[in-house]
Amino acid sequence: MTLFKNVTVTRGAVRTGAGWSLRFDRRALLVCTALALVAAVVTVLAIGTGRYALSPWEVVRTLAGDGPPGADFIVRGLRLPRALDGLLVGFAMGMAGAVFQSLSRNPLGSPDIIGFGNGASAGALVAIIVLNAGAPQTALGAVCGGLVTAAAVYLLAWKRGVHGYRLVLVGIGAAAVLGSATSFLYVRAEIGKAAQAATWMVGSLNGRGWSEVWTAALGLAVLVPVVLAYARRLSLLEMGDDTAAALGIRPERSRLVLLAAGTGLTAMAVAAAGPIPFVALAAPQLARRVTRSPGPNVLPAAWMGAVLVTGADWATQRISQSAILPVGVVTGVAGGVYLAWLLLRERRSGRL
């Protein structure tokens, strides 16, 4: 089917007259569209939830500039930044989880388990507790902490290349060390800063404003194109370095770029909302089950992460009738139940 001049759409591919082509999985495209719609609907419901309740139609009218009296400040000034921050953070966590699980070839290779999220959290806590920094400096601290941790884990896991099981084991050790470091920071901090840091470490969207939204949006604008450009190489790396090299890519260079991009997405998400647990672990696996595709599924995983975080945020407001309960509490409980179910399923199948 020809849509534009010299542009042809066939089954699972788009071709241009200049010789460029783009292949896509139709089921994955439908899944991404469905998840994006679900995320949008849940976001509207979350914006309308609270003491000043609004119907979904009133929320849409307010966003269009024709809402009820007094709703504009509630929606645009207070609730919209929080909802957008959760949407962008979930998108980043889901994509980062897909990258790391594919690189490590391990379903447990998510950034919050192999230490990269802990590194970003430690960097942010240094900025909050030691440097008494504001939001921009905290974001920078999270990015620096995540990148330093990623570099250390990569170098420690290196032995004629980086293999998945070594990356996971070294990352778990790094997570334990960084956990001890953050505990030390709590002990040495003043009570006020310690309370502020403890609330932030749970993973929360409370009090998030436009500065956090712009932090998340800027990170996604820079890093998502990099991940998408290297998504095919990510699939080839899953086959092993020898096979990937035979197919024309440089394994270590591609791995370093993807590692840096995934770490940046993790650090940006931590800076914008704190370390929300289990989203990066569960989103890629749930997306893989829905798409029925064995590949990295970076875009379906990203949209699944957005649905999980926005859904958890809506659930916190429905449970507590306010925005006080941190979203990390809901994702932690749901993630623990999901992990227990996953382990039980693996055991029943004989793989454990």
Side-chain angles (χ1 to χ4, degrees):
M1 179 177 63
T2 301
L3 295 181
F4 302 100
K5 186 177 181 180
N6 298 327
V7 177
T8 304
V9 179
T10 59
R11 184 175 182 178
V14 178
R15 294 181 176 87
T16 67
W20 293 91
S21 64
L22 174 65
R23 298 187 62 186
F24 60 90
D25 185 288
R26 291 191 300 174
R27 183 179 178 88
L29 182 61
L30 291 175
V31 167
C32 287
T33 304
L35 290 174
L37 291 174
V38 172
V41 170
V42 176
T43 299
V44 170
L45 292 175
I47 292 175
T49 302
R51 294 182 178 178
Y52 185 80
L54 295 168
S55 68
W57 176 239
E58 288 175 331
V59 172
V60 173
R61 285 177 52 201
T62 303
L63 292 175
D66 188 31
D72 188 70
F73 173 73
I74 298 294
V75 171
R76 294 174 179 268
L78 299 179
R79 296 179 183 175
L80 182 60
R82 172 195 178 101
L84 288 179
D85 189 51
L87 185 70
L88 296 175
V89 165
F91 191 95
M93 286 184 168
M95 181 170 284
V99 168
F100 284 118
Q101 289 183 21
S102 181
L103 284 177
S104 63
R105 284 174 274 179
N106 192 316
L108 295 179
S110 66
D112 48 354
I113 289 181
I114 62 176
F116 294 179
N118 299 72
S121 299
L125 285 183
V126 169
I128 293 173
I129 295 176
V130 178
L131 303 178
N132 196 23
Q137 294 79 10
T138 301
L140 181 60
V143 172
C144 292
L147 291 176
V148 169
T149 302
V153 170
Y154 185 86
L155 292 175
L156 290 172
W158 172 271
K159 185 179 181 182
R160 295 189 297 273
V162 175
H163 297 280
Y165 74 93
R166 283 205 302 268
L167 185 69
V168 172
L169 290 176
V170 173
I172 291 174
V177 172
L178 290 166
S180 300
T182 54
S183 298
F184 175 77
L185 288 173
Y186 283 133
V187 172
R188 300 290 297 178
E190 298 176 359
I191 186 65
K193 291 183 180 179
Q196 176 188 355
T199 302
W200 182 85
M201 280 293 292
V202 175
S204 175
L205 298 175
N206 297 336
R208 304 301 176 186
W210 287 109
S211 60
E212 286 81 11
V213 173
W214 286 116
T215 297
L218 180 61
L220 288 176
V222 173
L223 296 172
V224 168
V226 176
V227 174
L228 295 180
Y230 277 74
R232 179 177 175 273
R233 303 186 188 190
L234 193 61
S235 300
L236 296 178
L237 287 173
E238 290 185 349
M239 303 179 186
D241 288 2
D242 293 338
T243 303
L247 292 173
I249 71 169
R250 297 179 180 178
E252 287 305 322
R253 179 179 178 181
S254 301
R255 189 178 290 111
L256 276 173
V257 172
L258 287 164
L259 188 68
T263 303
L265 287 171
T266 303
M268 178 274 298
V270 170
I276 301 177
F278 283 109
V279 174
L281 174 67
Q285 299 182 35
L286 293 174
R288 196 174 296 116
R289 294 178 186 278
V290 175
T291 61
R292 299 177 186 174
S293 173
N297 292 282
V298 289
L299 271 180
W303 282 114
M304 183 64 75
V307 170
L308 292 178
V309 174
T310 53
D313 183 39
W314 181 43
T316 60
Q317 299 183 55
R318 298 292 296 180
I319 292 170
S320 63
Q321 297 298 318
S322 67
I324 297 176
L325 183 66
V327 68
V329 173
V330 173
T331 61
V333 173
V337 173
Y338 172 76
L339 184 59
W341 172 83
L342 184 64
L343 292 174
L344 181 61
R345 184 175 179 273
E346 294 291 315
R347 183 180 179 182
R348 287 180 175 176
S349 65
R351 290 191 287 265
L352 280 180

